[in-house]
Amino acid sequence: MAKEPVSSPQPLSFPPSHFAKLAPRSYLHAHLSSSNGQRPSGRLPHESRKPQINTGSLTHCHGSAVVRAGDNAVVCGIRVEILNASDIVDCKPSTTIEALGQRYGGGLTKHPEVTDGATRRQSRTEDAEEMAQLDLLVPNVELSTGCSPSYLPGMPPSTEAQSLSHRVLTLLHISQLISMDDLRIWYHPSSASTPPMPQPPSEAPTAPDPTSMSLDVPNDTTSSDEEDAQRPEVKAYYVLHITLLVLSLSGPPFPAIWTALLSALRNTRLPKAWWDVDRQCVICSPRISDSRPLNLNGLPIAMSCGVFNAEKDGAGLVSQVEEGGEKGVKKWILCDIDGFEEGCCEEEVTVVVREKQEAQGHGMEILRIEKSGGGFVGRKELREIVALAYERWKVLKGVIEGNV
């Protein structure tokens, strides 16, 4: 009886996703060390995910935007409410044009035009302080259930959502993105006053009674009160309630959140509002044609990078290169990292850049730099990250302006 041939054992093989779970650092290092140097997602180390932006998707908001970049998806909705100046307790804002004129260097117009750069920066700083004091910007970040494996159903609100809300509010005040002039609702008595009714002429002139005669002494107090009554003043403010809902999360959420907020602000239109003397309240026009957009101060863009260090890990991998004649650990700067790469990187850097205004010259300015974890990023690496942020600003500027 013939014997059946014995087949040789087949080598075990696993799909790439299994290797990524078993040894994530070795898996990422193998991709970066390959000839093409591509990451597991197919992008180069300095390549970012292409964003997709849709504005005006929420019809019940005054401004909205949906941003998607890779597996990151964020929805932003902005609602505008009215805050009466009489409801503000223990606050003394600049509620008269005269007070604003002293701030802006003597201009007594509703929207002062400042030509001096130092005066403009000083006025914007004071406006930002007033805006923060009145809490006219109210951002709220929500990480929806199931946006990532870390957020399961039934869990309480995370501290990360509160931290992101604070970071958004801080950057709004630091960048002075929104002008205080857009949020003030003025009342001009001269335009709302009615001319006095004419008095009927007397039938015959009468002689003055000497006993009732009195000297006409000018009353400075009365004239001063009349002047104060005729001065334009701020009766209310616009309050922006900003809701940011993260639908899907893969990587650092702040750049996608800030991009959604920026797109929604450019899509926001403030309704026309005025002070009604008879009703003693603010009236808003329901017509969209009467609304106006926000005058934003530049276009600040946020970008996050991760630093992957191929140091010795559990798999026994080590990669050393010659740096300046000394042995150093090989590290890669990965732009716009995803969720898998975020778990492998020891250090993250977030940079916010914006184009300089005309009074400050041409070029770019750095608004904020945040760094967490590790100590591998030095001056050389930081310059490289800032240069990548400038390139990212050019790309996002075209995408945002093309969707507004």
Coordinates of all heavy atoms in Angstrom, one line a residue, residues 249-301:
L249 N -12.9 60.2 16.4 CA -11.6 60.6 16.9 C -10.5 59.6 16.6 O -10.6 58.5 16.9 CB -11.7 60.9 18.4 CG -10.5 61.4 19.1 CD1 -10.1 62.7 18.5 CD2 -10.7 61.5 20.6
S250 N -9.5 60.1 15.9 CA -8.3 59.3 15.6 C -7.1 60.3 15.6 O -6.8 60.9 14.6 CB -8.5 58.6 14.3 OG -7.3 57.9 13.9
G251 N -6.5 60.4 16.7 CA -5.3 61.3 16.9 C -5.7 62.4 17.8 O -6.8 62.5 18.3
P252 N -4.8 63.4 17.9 CA -5.1 64.6 18.7 C -6.3 65.4 18.2 O -6.4 65.7 17.0 CB -3.8 65.5 18.5 CG -2.8 64.5 18.1 CD -3.4 63.4 17.3
P253 N -7.3 65.6 19.0 CA -8.5 66.2 18.5 C -8.5 67.7 18.3 O -9.3 68.3 17.6 CB -9.6 65.9 19.6 CG -8.7 65.8 20.9 CD -7.4 65.3 20.5
F254 N -7.5 68.4 18.9 CA -7.6 69.9 18.9 C -7.5 70.5 17.5 O -8.3 71.4 17.2 CB -6.5 70.5 19.8 CG -6.6 72.0 20.0 CD1 -7.5 72.5 20.8 CD2 -5.7 72.8 19.3 CE1 -7.6 73.9 21.0 CE2 -5.8 74.2 19.4 CZ -6.7 74.7 20.3
P255 N -6.6 70.1 16.6 CA -6.6 70.7 15.3 C -7.9 70.6 14.6 O -8.3 71.6 13.9 CB -5.4 70.0 14.6 CG -4.6 69.5 15.7 CD -5.5 69.1 16.8
A256 N -8.5 69.5 14.6 CA -9.8 69.3 13.9 C -10.9 70.2 14.6 O -11.8 70.7 13.9 CB -10.2 67.8 13.9
I257 N -10.9 70.2 15.9 CA -11.9 71.1 16.6 C -11.7 72.5 16.3 O -12.7 73.3 16.0 CB -11.7 70.8 18.1 CG1 -12.2 69.4 18.5 CG2 -12.5 71.9 19.0 CD1 -12.0 69.0 20.0
W258 N -10.4 73.0 16.3 CA -10.2 74.4 16.0 C -10.6 74.7 14.5 O -11.1 75.8 14.2 CB -8.7 74.8 16.2 CG -8.4 76.2 16.0 CD1 -7.8 76.7 14.9 CD2 -8.8 77.3 16.8 NE1 -7.7 78.1 15.0 CE2 -8.3 78.5 16.2 CE3 -9.5 77.4 18.0 CZ2 -8.5 79.7 16.7 CZ3 -9.7 78.7 18.6 CH2 -9.2 79.8 17.9
T259 N -10.3 73.8 13.6 CA -10.7 74.0 12.2 C -12.2 74.1 12.0 O -12.7 75.0 11.3 CB -10.1 72.9 11.3 OG1 -8.7 72.8 11.5 CG2 -10.4 73.2 9.8
A260 N -12.9 73.3 12.7 CA -14.4 73.3 12.7 C -14.9 74.6 13.2 O -15.8 75.3 12.7 CB -15.0 72.1 13.4
L261 N -14.3 75.1 14.3 CA -14.7 76.4 15.0 C -14.4 77.5 14.0 O -15.3 78.4 13.8 CB -14.0 76.5 16.3 CG -14.1 77.9 16.9 CD1 -15.5 78.3 17.3 CD2 -13.2 78.0 18.2
L262 N -13.2 77.5 13.4 CA -12.9 78.6 12.5 C -13.8 78.7 11.3 O -14.2 79.7 10.9 CB -11.4 78.4 12.1 CG -10.7 79.7 11.5 CD1 -10.6 80.8 12.5 CD2 -9.3 79.3 11.0
S263 N -14.1 77.5 10.8 CA -15.1 77.5 9.6 C -16.5 77.9 10.0 O -17.1 78.6 9.2 CB -15.1 76.1 9.0 OG -13.8 75.6 8.6
A264 N -16.9 77.5 11.2 CA -18.2 78.0 11.6 C -18.3 79.5 11.9 O -19.3 80.1 11.6 CB -18.6 77.2 12.9
L265 N -17.2 80.0 12.5 CA -17.2 81.5 12.7 C -17.3 82.3 11.4 O -17.9 83.3 11.3 CB -16.0 81.9 13.5 CG -15.9 81.5 15.0 CD1 -14.6 81.8 15.6 CD2 -17.0 82.2 15.8
R266 N -16.6 81.8 10.4 CA -16.7 82.4 9.1 C -18.0 82.3 8.5 O -18.4 83.1 7.6 CB -15.6 81.9 8.2 CG -14.2 82.2 8.6 CD -13.1 81.6 7.7 NE -13.3 82.1 6.3 CZ -12.6 83.1 5.8 NH1 -11.8 83.8 6.6 NH2 -12.8 83.5 4.6
N267 N -18.8 81.3 8.9 CA -20.2 81.1 8.4 C -21.2 81.8 9.2 O -22.4 81.9 8.8 CB -20.4 79.6 8.3 CG -21.8 79.3 7.7 OD1 -22.7 78.8 8.5 ND2 -22.0 79.5 6.4
T268 N -20.8 82.3 10.4 CA -21.8 82.9 11.3 C -22.2 84.3 10.8 O -21.4 85.1 10.4 CB -21.2 83.0 12.7 OG1 -20.8 81.7 13.2 CG2 -22.2 83.6 13.7
R269 N -23.5 84.6 11.0 CA -24.1 85.9 10.6 C -24.9 86.4 11.9 O -25.7 85.7 12.4 CB -25.0 85.8 9.4 CG -24.2 85.4 8.1 CD -25.1 85.6 6.9 NE -25.3 87.0 6.7 CZ -24.5 87.8 5.9 NH1 -23.4 87.3 5.4 NH2 -24.8 89.0 5.7
L270 N -24.5 87.6 12.3 CA -25.2 88.2 13.5 C -26.5 88.9 13.0 O -26.5 89.7 12.1 CB -24.3 89.2 14.1 CG -23.0 88.7 14.7 CD1 -22.1 89.8 15.2 CD2 -23.2 87.6 15.7
P271 N -27.6 88.6 13.7 CA -28.8 89.3 13.3 C -28.8 90.8 13.6 O -28.1 91.2 14.6 CB -29.9 88.6 14.1 CG -29.2 88.0 15.3 CD -27.8 87.7 14.8
K272 N -29.5 91.6 12.8 CA -29.5 93.0 13.1 C -30.3 93.3 14.4 O -31.4 92.8 14.5 CB -30.1 93.8 11.9 CG -30.2 95.3 12.1 CD -30.9 95.9 11.0 CE -31.0 97.5 11.2 NZ -31.6 98.2 10.0
A273 N -29.7 94.0 15.3 CA -30.4 94.2 16.6 C -30.3 95.7 17.0 O -29.3 96.4 16.6 CB -29.7 93.4 17.7
W274 N -31.3 96.2 17.6 CA -31.4 97.6 18.1 C -32.2 97.7 19.3 O -33.0 96.8 19.7 CB -31.9 98.5 17.0 CG -33.4 98.2 16.7 CD1 -34.5 98.8 17.2 CD2 -33.9 97.2 15.7 NE1 -35.6 98.3 16.7 CE2 -35.3 97.3 15.8 CE3 -33.3 96.3 14.9 CZ2 -36.1 96.5 15.0 CZ3 -34.1 95.5 14.1 CH2 -35.5 95.6 14.2
W275 N -32.0 98.8 20.0 CA -32.6 99.1 21.3 C -33.9 99.8 21.0 O -34.0 100.9 20.4 CB -31.8 99.9 22.2 CG -32.4 100.3 23.5 CD1 -33.0 101.5 23.9 CD2 -32.6 99.4 24.7 NE1 -33.5 101.4 25.1 CE2 -33.3 100.2 25.7 CE3 -32.2 98.1 24.9 CZ2 -33.6 99.7 26.9 CZ3 -32.6 97.6 26.2 CH2 -33.2 98.4 27.1
D276 N -35.1 99.2 21.5 CA -36.4 99.9 21.3 C -36.7 100.7 22.6 O -36.8 100.1 23.7 CB -37.4 98.8 21.1 CG -38.8 99.4 20.7 OD1 -39.5 99.7 21.6 OD2 -39.0 99.5 19.5
V277 N -36.9 102.0 22.4 CA -37.1 102.8 23.6 C -38.5 102.6 24.2 O -38.6 102.6 25.4 CB -37.0 104.3 23.1 CG1 -37.2 105.3 24.3 CG2 -35.7 104.6 22.4
D278 N -39.5 102.3 23.4 CA -40.8 102.1 24.0 C -40.9 100.8 24.8 O -41.5 100.8 25.9 CB -41.9 102.1 22.8 CG -41.9 103.5 22.1 OD1 -41.6 104.5 22.7 OD2 -42.2 103.5 20.9
R279 N -40.3 99.8 24.2 CA -40.4 98.5 24.9 C -39.3 98.3 25.9 O -39.3 97.3 26.7 CB -40.3 97.3 23.9 CG -41.5 97.4 22.9 CD -41.4 96.2 21.9 NE -42.4 96.3 20.9 CZ -42.5 95.3 19.9 NH1 -41.7 94.3 19.9 NH2 -43.5 95.5 19.0
Q280 N -38.3 99.1 25.8 CA -37.1 99.0 26.7 C -36.5 97.6 26.7 O -36.2 97.0 27.7 CB -37.5 99.3 28.2 CG -37.9 100.8 28.4 CD -36.6 101.7 28.3 OE1 -35.6 101.5 29.0 NE2 -36.7 102.6 27.4
C281 N -36.2 97.2 25.4 CA -35.6 95.9 25.2 C -34.9 95.9 23.8 O -35.1 96.8 23.0 CB -36.6 94.8 25.4 SG -37.9 94.8 24.1
V282 N -34.2 94.9 23.6 CA -33.5 94.8 22.3 C -34.4 94.0 21.3 O -34.9 92.9 21.7 CB -32.1 94.0 22.5 CG1 -31.4 93.8 21.1 CG2 -31.2 94.8 23.4
I283 N -34.5 94.5 20.1 CA -35.3 93.9 19.1 C -34.4 93.4 18.0 O -33.4 94.1 17.6 CB -36.3 94.8 18.5 CG1 -37.2 95.4 19.6 CG2 -37.2 94.1 17.5 CD1 -38.0 94.4 20.3
C284 N -34.6 92.2 17.5 CA -33.8 91.6 16.4 C -34.6 91.4 15.2 O -35.8 91.0 15.3 CB -33.2 90.2 16.9 SG -32.0 90.3 18.2
S285 N -34.0 91.7 14.1 CA -34.7 91.5 12.8 C -34.7 90.1 12.4 O -33.6 89.4 12.4 CB -34.0 92.4 11.7 OG -34.6 92.1 10.4
P286 N -35.8 89.5 11.9 CA -35.9 88.1 11.5 C -35.4 87.9 10.1 O -35.2 86.8 9.6 CB -37.4 87.8 11.6 CG -38.1 89.1 11.3 CD -37.2 90.1 11.9
R287 N -35.1 89.0 9.3 CA -34.7 88.8 8.0 C -33.2 88.5 7.9 O -32.4 89.2 8.5 CB -35.0 90.1 7.2 CG -36.5 90.4 7.0 CD -36.8 91.6 6.2 NE -36.3 92.8 6.9 CZ -36.5 94.1 6.5 NH1 -37.1 94.2 5.3 NH2 -36.0 95.1 7.1
I288 N -32.9 87.5 7.1 CA -31.5 87.1 6.9 C -30.7 88.2 6.1 O -29.5 88.4 6.3 CB -31.4 85.8 6.2 CG1 -32.1 84.7 7.0 CG2 -29.9 85.4 5.9 CD1 -32.1 83.4 6.3
S289 N -31.4 89.0 5.3 CA -30.7 90.0 4.5 C -30.2 91.1 5.4 O -29.3 91.9 5.0 CB -31.6 90.6 3.4 OG -32.8 91.1 4.1
D290 N -30.7 91.3 6.6 CA -30.3 92.3 7.5 C -29.1 91.9 8.4 O -28.5 92.7 9.0 CB -31.4 92.8 8.4 CG -32.5 93.5 7.7 OD1 -32.3 94.0 6.6 OD2 -33.7 93.5 8.2
S291 N -28.8 90.6 8.4 CA -27.7 90.1 9.2 C -26.3 90.5 8.6 O -26.2 90.8 7.4 CB -27.8 88.6 9.3 OG -27.7 87.9 8.1
R292 N -25.3 90.3 9.4 CA -23.9 90.7 8.9 C -23.0 89.6 9.4 O -23.2 89.0 10.5 CB -23.6 92.1 9.4 CG -23.6 92.2 10.9 CD -23.3 93.6 11.4 NE -23.5 93.8 12.8 CZ -22.6 93.6 13.7 NH1 -21.4 93.1 13.3 NH2 -22.8 93.8 15.0
P293 N -21.9 89.4 8.7 CA -20.9 88.4 9.2 C -19.9 89.0 10.2 O -19.9 90.2 10.5 CB -20.1 88.1 7.9 CG -20.2 89.4 7.1 CD -21.5 90.0 7.4
L294 N -19.2 88.1 10.8 CA -18.2 88.6 11.8 C -16.9 89.0 11.1 O -16.5 88.4 10.0 CB -17.8 87.4 12.7 CG -18.9 87.0 13.8 CD1 -18.5 85.7 14.4 CD2 -19.1 88.0 14.8
N295 N -16.2 90.0 11.6 CA -15.0 90.5 11.1 C -13.8 89.8 11.9 O -13.5 90.3 13.0 CB -14.9 92.0 11.2 CG -15.9 92.7 10.4 OD1 -16.1 92.3 9.2 ND2 -16.5 93.7 10.9
L296 N -13.4 88.7 11.4 CA -12.3 87.9 12.1 C -11.0 88.5 11.9 O -10.6 89.1 10.8 CB -12.4 86.5 11.6 CG -13.7 85.7 11.8 CD1 -13.5 84.3 11.3 CD2 -14.1 85.8 13.3
N297 N -10.1 88.4 12.9 CA -8.8 88.9 12.9 C -7.8 87.8 12.4 O -7.2 87.1 13.2 CB -8.4 89.4 14.3 CG -7.0 90.0 14.3 OD1 -6.5 90.4 13.3 ND2 -6.4 90.0 15.5
G298 N -7.7 87.7 11.1 CA -6.8 86.8 10.6 C -7.4 85.4 10.5 O -8.6 85.1 10.7
L299 N -6.5 84.4 10.2 CA -6.9 83.0 10.1 C -5.9 82.1 10.8 O -5.0 81.5 10.2 CB -7.0 82.6 8.6 CG -7.7 81.3 8.2 CD1 -9.2 81.4 8.5 CD2 -7.4 81.0 6.8
P300 N -6.0 82.0 12.1 CA -5.0 81.1 12.8 C -5.3 79.6 12.6 O -6.5 79.2 12.6 CB -5.2 81.5 14.3 CG -6.6 82.1 14.4 CD -6.9 82.7 13.0
I301 N -4.3 78.9 12.3 CA -4.4 77.4 12.0 C -3.6 76.7 13.1 O -2.5 77.0 13.4 CB -3.9 77.1 10.6 CG1 -4.8 77.8 9.6 CG2 -3.9 75.6 10.4 CD1 -6.2 77.4 9.6

